């Protein structure tokens, strides 16, 4: 998927999260999923991500598609500005290492004392804001 398509998907996701009560300005761990055709590409990309301030979890081997998956993450707000900057940064590093981007994820942060809407609570779990 192109960067522009991924950004459009991000905007829809953030809008849906806001409608469901997610406090997008609250910091939480935001993770991105990338993968590489070779172990060397994955290793080089991990070093690049780490030097750019990201944490990474490397896989121990190839996935079912023969790729080497990596989880890239950091603690940040999920508002439009921070989320878009995050995806752009991950895409830029990923492209330099011929990787594949496979989306992002983050727990919902809800206002203290609020109840998560039905499906939303099952999907994201209950987590209260800590700023």
């Amino acid at each position: 998927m192109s960067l522009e398509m991924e950004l459009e998907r991000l905007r829809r996701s953030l809008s849906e999260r806001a409608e469901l009560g997610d406090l997008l300005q609250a910091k939480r761990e935001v993770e991105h999923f990338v993968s590489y055709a070779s172990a060397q590409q994955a290793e080089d990309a991990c070093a690049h991500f780490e030097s750019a301030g990201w944490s990474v979890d490397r896989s121990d081997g190839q996935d079912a598609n023969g790729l080497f998956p990596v989880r890239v993450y950091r603690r940040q707000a999920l508002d439009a500005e921070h989320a878009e900057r995050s995806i752009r940064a991950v895409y830029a590093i990923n492209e330099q290492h011929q990787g594949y981007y496979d989306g992002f994820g983050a727990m919902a942060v809800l206002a203290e004392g609020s109840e998560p809407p039905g499906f939303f609570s099952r999907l994201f779990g209950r987590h209260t804001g800590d700023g």
Side-chain angles (χ1 to χ4, degrees):
M1 183 179 301
S2 73
L3 173 59
E4 289 309 314
M5 290 174 66
E6 194 64 49
L7 291 172
E8 182 57 35
R9 188 167 79 162
L10 168 70
R11 292 178 193 112
R12 285 192 309 272
S13 174
L14 294 180
S15 177
E16 291 168 4
R17 283 173 170 263
E19 287 176 21
L20 293 169
D22 193 343
L23 301 174
L24 299 177
Q25 72 281 7
K27 290 186 177 182
R28 83 281 312 270
E29 184 177 285
V30 178
E31 57 189 358
H32 300 268
F33 304 96
V34 294
S35 57
Y36 301 91
S38 75
Q40 187 62 54
Q41 285 175 317
E43 191 62 34
D44 292 346
C46 286
H48 194 162
F49 280 117
E50 288 172 332
S51 71
W54 294 87
S55 296
V56 298
D57 287 336
R58 299 167 176 93
S59 68
D60 288 333
Q62 294 173 296
D63 64 13
N65 297 317
L67 299 173
F68 294 84
V70 175
R71 182 176 80 104
V72 179
Y73 60 98
R74 68 177 170 196
R75 187 168 167 77
Q76 67 174 73
L78 196 58
D79 59 76
E81 178 185 347
H82 288 97
E84 186 170 319
R85 189 176 330 141
S86 177
I87 285 181
R88 287 182 183 280
V90 170
Y91 253 79
I93 293 171
N94 202 41
E95 282 183 354
Q96 291 181 36
H97 300 280
Q98 296 82 44
Y100 305 94
Y101 184 82
D102 194 28
F104 79 97
M107 292 291 291
V109 177
L110 304 174
E112 187 68 39
S114 68
E115 286 298 318
F119 176 74
F120 193 61
S121 67
R122 291 189 306 278
L123 181 62
F124 296 107
R126 178 154 172 67
H127 186 267
T128 57
D130 59 354

